Amino acid sequence: MILFAGFQAMGTRGAALVAGAEWIRIQCEDIPVQAEIVNVDAFSAHADYEELIGWLRNMSRPPSRLFLTHGEPAAAESFQSNIQKHLGWVSVIARDLEEVPLS
Protein backbone atom coordinates (compact mmCIF):
# COMPACT_ATOMS: atom_id res chain seq x y z
CA MET A 1 0.00 0.00 0.00
CA ILE A 2 1.08 3.55 -0.73
CA LEU A 3 -0.67 5.98 1.59
CA PHE A 4 -0.80 9.66 0.64
CA ALA A 5 -1.64 11.95 3.54
CA GLY A 6 -2.85 15.15 1.93
CA PHE A 7 -3.05 17.02 -1.33
CA GLN A 8 -1.10 15.84 -4.37
CA ALA A 9 -0.28 18.66 -6.78
CA MET A 10 -1.34 18.38 -10.40
CA GLY A 11 1.42 16.99 -12.61
CA THR A 12 3.17 15.04 -9.84
CA ARG A 13 3.63 11.30 -9.55
CA GLY A 14 1.51 11.41 -6.40
CA ALA A 15 -1.41 12.97 -8.27
CA ALA A 16 -1.04 10.41 -11.04
CA LEU A 17 -1.07 7.54 -8.56
CA VAL A 18 -4.11 8.91 -6.71
CA ALA A 19 -5.88 9.29 -10.09
CA GLY A 20 -5.29 5.60 -10.83
CA ALA A 21 -2.16 5.50 -13.00
CA GLU A 22 -1.23 1.99 -14.03
CA TRP A 23 2.48 2.86 -14.32
CA ILE A 24 4.82 5.64 -13.19
CA ARG A 25 8.01 6.83 -14.89
CA ILE A 26 10.96 6.86 -12.48
CA GLN A 27 14.47 7.63 -13.74
CA CYS A 28 13.48 7.03 -17.38
CA GLU A 29 11.91 3.67 -16.57
CA ASP A 30 8.20 2.82 -16.63
CA ILE A 31 7.34 1.09 -13.36
CA PRO A 32 4.01 -0.75 -13.11
CA VAL A 33 1.88 0.20 -10.11
CA GLN A 34 1.29 -2.97 -8.14
CA ALA A 35 0.35 -1.39 -4.82
CA GLU A 36 -2.96 -0.32 -3.40
CA ILE A 37 -3.11 3.50 -3.50
CA VAL A 38 -4.91 5.27 -0.65
CA ASN A 39 -5.31 9.03 -0.28
CA VAL A 40 -6.37 10.55 3.04
CA ASP A 41 -7.11 14.26 2.51
CA ALA A 42 -7.85 14.85 6.19
CA PHE A 43 -4.17 15.20 7.11
CA SER A 44 -2.44 18.28 5.78
CA ALA A 45 0.50 20.21 7.19
CA HIS A 46 -0.55 23.36 5.36
CA ALA A 47 -2.39 26.16 7.06
CA ASP A 48 -5.75 27.09 5.60
CA TYR A 49 -6.37 30.57 4.24
CA GLU A 50 -7.81 31.84 7.54
CA GLU A 51 -4.65 30.81 9.41
CA LEU A 52 -2.49 32.43 6.74
CA ILE A 53 -4.53 35.65 6.84
CA GLY A 54 -4.11 35.66 10.64
CA TRP A 55 -0.35 35.18 10.27
CA LEU A 56 -0.15 38.03 7.76
CA ARG A 57 -2.35 40.25 9.94
CA ASN A 58 0.17 39.91 12.78
CA MET A 59 3.02 41.44 10.77
CA SER A 60 4.25 44.70 12.25
CA ARG A 61 3.90 46.32 8.81
CA PRO A 62 2.65 45.08 5.46
CA PRO A 63 5.25 43.86 2.97
CA SER A 64 6.05 46.19 0.09
CA ARG A 65 5.28 43.34 -2.30
CA LEU A 66 3.57 40.03 -1.60
CA PHE A 67 4.02 37.14 -4.02
CA LEU A 68 1.86 34.02 -3.87
CA THR A 69 3.95 31.08 -5.02
CA HIS A 70 2.06 27.96 -4.00
CA GLY A 71 -1.20 26.24 -4.85
CA GLU A 72 -3.43 25.46 -7.77
CA PRO A 73 -4.43 28.50 -9.86
CA ALA A 74 -7.99 28.70 -8.51
CA ALA A 75 -6.79 28.44 -4.90
CA ALA A 76 -4.11 31.10 -5.47
CA GLU A 77 -6.70 33.45 -7.01
CA SER A 78 -9.05 32.86 -4.09
CA PHE A 79 -6.28 33.52 -1.58
CA GLN A 80 -5.28 36.67 -3.47
CA SER A 81 -8.88 37.87 -3.27
CA ASN A 82 -9.03 37.13 0.47
CA ILE A 83 -5.81 39.06 1.10
CA GLN A 84 -7.32 42.08 -0.65
CA LYS A 85 -10.67 41.69 1.13
CA HIS A 86 -9.34 41.13 4.67
CA LEU A 87 -6.10 43.14 4.64
CA GLY A 88 -6.45 45.58 1.77
CA TRP A 89 -3.08 44.47 0.40
CA VAL A 90 -2.23 44.00 -3.23
CA SER A 91 -0.60 40.65 -3.95
CA VAL A 92 0.78 39.04 -7.08
CA ILE A 93 0.41 35.42 -8.17
CA ALA A 94 3.86 34.43 -9.37
CA ARG A 95 4.08 32.84 -12.81
CA ASP A 96 6.17 29.74 -13.49
CA LEU A 97 9.83 30.71 -14.07
CA GLU A 98 9.03 34.39 -13.56
CA GLU A 99 11.97 36.53 -12.48
CA VAL A 100 11.35 39.64 -10.41
CA PRO A 101 14.05 42.19 -9.51
CA LEU A 102 13.86 42.89 -5.78
CA SER A 103 16.02 45.99 -5.68
Side-chain angles (χ1 to χ4, degrees):
M1 174 192 291
I2 300 175
L3 175 65
F4 290 97
F7 177 76
Q8 302 302 306
M10 189 170 39
T12 65
R13 289 184 188 103
L17 287 167
V18 168
E22 295 181 10
W23 57 269
I24 295 293
R25 182 169 288 270
I26 300 175
Q27 296 183 348
C28 300
E29 184 178 346
D30 293 337
I31 308 295
V33 177
Q34 298 177 333
E36 177 185 2
I37 307 300
V38 177
N39 187 34
V40 181
D41 283 326
F43 303 109
S44 176
H46 295 94
D48 63 19
Y49 93 87
E50 290 176 356
E51 291 170 307
L52 290 169
I53 293 288
W55 179 76
L56 291 169
R57 184 175 278 125
N58 286 320
M59 292 184 157
S60 58
R61 61 185 170 91
S64 59
R65 290 190 273 182
L66 178 64
F67 295 93
L68 306 179
T69 62
H70 186 73
E72 298 293 322
E77 290 169 6
S78 176
F79 187 45
Q80 182 182 42
S81 174
N82 277 297
I83 289 169
Q84 176 64 42
K85 175 182 173 185
H86 295 286
L87 301 173
W89 301 355
V90 175
S91 59
V92 176
I93 299 172
R95 295 186 314 258
D96 190 32
L97 301 176
E98 178 179 18
E99 294 184 21
V100 178
L102 298 177
S103 58

